[in-house]
Amino acid sequence: MTPGDLTSDPASDLTSEHAAALTIGSVATPLGALIMVTDATGGLMASEYADHEDRLHRLLSRRIGPVDLRPGAIPPRLAAAVEAYFAGDLAATDRIPVRLTGSLFQNLAWAALRRIPPGRPVTYGEQALRIGRPGAARAVGHANGSNPFNLILPCHRLVGADGALTGYAGGLERKRWLLDHEARFTAPG
């Protein structure tokens, strides 16, 4: 797996040996600790803010079944990418390899999040059009409500049809902070 890969793996492809090799660790951010779960290759299986750790476990269990997470350090390149993002390199998290194990539609919706330019939020309806599913705004919203890669696959860049901040698992205050952060570091135009 190379950095930035969005690897789609059906849950059935994850052997119990692979699932047992998952490591959980965290990196400090201005918004609180970001928990990251990685596989043996350093691929990201999930990320979530520490105050929503129960969501991380719930989404992992739904996608790949029961897992035993080993506490440990996250790969240094992942921590460095998160730190670089918060320092203003908004593309840094795009280089984190992610293992997609959702449904075909979820994987399509999640992978498309990285194509939303920082500082230019789009509506759920626009995102549905971008992935070739016009009229599927609610399905895009539902898929993103199950996005197990908080911050790394930037669902915070999706807004309601009227531009309102809606539906962010990390909380609307974090969503507002992230959008403001990206606006500060995005060149006009």
Side-chain angles (χ1 to χ4, degrees):
M1 184 179 326
T2 59
D5 282 352
L6 291 169
T7 306
S8 181
D9 291 320
S12 60
D13 288 349
L14 296 175
T15 65
S16 59
E17 179 181 326
H18 176 78
L22 298 181
T23 301
I24 186 168
S26 66
V27 61
T29 80
L31 298 173
L34 183 69
I35 298 172
M36 302 177 91
V37 175
T38 56
D39 65 15
T41 69
L44 188 66
M45 296 296 296
S47 58
E48 183 59 76
Y49 291 99
D51 57 334
H52 296 281
E53 185 173 356
D54 59 328
R55 179 179 184 273
L56 177 136
H57 291 281
R58 188 173 58 253
L59 292 177
L60 265 177
S61 292
R62 284 183 194 160
R63 287 173 38 229
I64 62 175
V67 294
D68 185 26
L69 303 177
R70 287 181 310 196
I74 60 172
R77 72 183 192 289
L78 273 63
V82 170
E83 291 164 0
Y85 170 86
F86 283 104
D89 179 0
L90 303 179
T93 54
D94 292 345
R95 297 185 290 271
I96 293 176
V98 175
R99 289 186 50 104
L100 300 177
T101 57
S103 70
L104 291 175
F105 185 81
Q106 287 173 325
N107 290 346
L108 175 69
W110 296 340
L113 292 169
R114 282 193 169 163
R115 294 191 297 274
I116 302 171
R120 295 190 174 92
V122 300
T123 67
Y124 293 94
E126 289 172 296
Q127 188 70 344
L129 285 171
R130 288 175 176 208
I131 65 171
R133 303 288 177 95
R138 286 184 186 212
V140 166
H142 184 69
N144 286 296
S146 299
N147 174 10
F149 303 100
N150 203 322
L151 179 68
I152 308 307
L153 296 185
C155 60
H156 62 270
R157 295 179 188 157
L158 291 173
V159 296
D162 61 357
L165 300 186
T166 60
Y168 185 63
L172 292 182
E173 287 304 312
R174 278 191 180 115
K175 183 171 186 164
R176 181 174 292 106
W177 192 97
L178 290 166
L179 291 173
D180 289 346
H181 170 71
E182 291 181 356
R184 279 192 304 276
F185 290 98
T186 303

